[in-house]
Amino acid sequence: MASWHGGEPEPERSSLVRMYAVTGGRTAPRSGPAMEALVSSATSMRLGPAYTREYREISELCRQVRSVAEISALLAVPLGVARVLVSDMEAEGLVRVYQPQLEAGLPDRSLLERVLSGLRRL
């Protein structure tokens, strides 16, 4: 809630406190989606007010397939927070997460090129 200072509303403080509350203080996701994992909305309906603002925003963003890194950048939240939220939404069946297939522990070169291309477009 904004407080009044000299008759003017004071801008809201950093949303980091809100992010801490939204994630329940967790910094590690339950299922650990990689930052390059692709996410799509699992529902064609808009999420209602029963869900947090962040869930609704992620659901809308993911009507187009996006990486966890893109979600983090577009929502202006730390990557760890985005990973926790996406993981929680996946557990509730709200999004689908497509983990990259890694061979010998190394990411596919074409995947890295697509991620880099997507980051450049941001």
Side-chain angles (χ1 to χ4, degrees):
M1 175 169 29
S3 62
W4 290 88
H5 180 68
E8 297 284 324
E10 186 177 307
E12 286 190 29
R13 301 269 181 219
S14 167
S15 64
L16 290 179
V17 172
R18 175 167 171 69
M19 292 297 105
Y20 181 83
V22 168
T23 62
R26 290 177 294 124
T27 57
R30 291 181 180 133
S31 65
M35 71 177 201
E36 66 272 13
L38 299 177
V39 183
S40 67
S41 183
T43 177
S44 60
M45 298 180 355
R46 293 181 186 261
L47 297 183
Y51 294 97
T52 66
R53 176 175 44 109
E54 291 77 17
Y55 274 28
R56 292 191 307 264
E57 289 175 357
I58 290 170
S59 181
E60 287 300 313
L61 281 174
C62 292
R63 296 211 182 282
Q64 295 180 1
V65 176
R66 304 207 187 256
S67 70
V68 175
E70 285 179 288
I71 294 167
S72 171
L74 292 170
L75 293 181
V77 299
L79 182 59
V81 170
R83 291 179 69 219
V84 168
L85 294 174
V86 166
S87 175
D88 290 351
M89 289 180 74
E90 180 185 28
E92 291 185 36
L94 300 173
V95 296
R96 291 184 190 96
V97 177
Y98 306 93
Q99 293 285 8
Q101 298 300 314
L102 303 178
E103 292 182 29
L106 299 174
D108 179 54
R109 181 180 174 97
S110 66
L111 172 66
L112 292 175
E113 289 171 353
R114 288 194 313 268
V115 170
L116 183 58
S117 174
L119 291 173
R120 285 183 178 145
R121 283 184 294 204
L122 294 177

